Amino acid sequence: MAGAVMVGDGINDVLAAKDAGIPCVAVAFGYGEAETLGADRVIQRMEELPEVAALLR
């Protein structure tokens, strides 16, 4: 899955990304505690996603 990035707000999102072998970006404005999920990056606003995703690909 070249170029794929998972975006999520919970542990299951992070685990699914790890199982798929793709990077994960957690959103701090979701349901989970983003900083504790173990995602590759955490964003505070959706506007940050394109730049962060580009760094992870």
Side-chain angles (χ1 to χ4, degrees):
M1 284 196 239
V5 176
M6 170 69 101
V7 179
D9 65 353
I11 188 63
N12 290 325
D13 300 321
V14 175
L15 294 175
K18 290 182 186 288
D19 285 346
I22 60 174
C24 184
V25 176
V27 296
F29 47 87
Y31 293 103
E33 293 289 329
E35 291 79 13
T36 66
L37 296 176
D40 297 293
R41 296 283 192 282
V42 175
I43 60 173
Q44 303 297 318
R45 299 178 337 207
M46 204 59 165
E47 293 82 9
E48 299 172 55
L49 183 58
E51 182 179 344
V52 171
L55 293 172
L56 293 173
R57 291 189 190 135

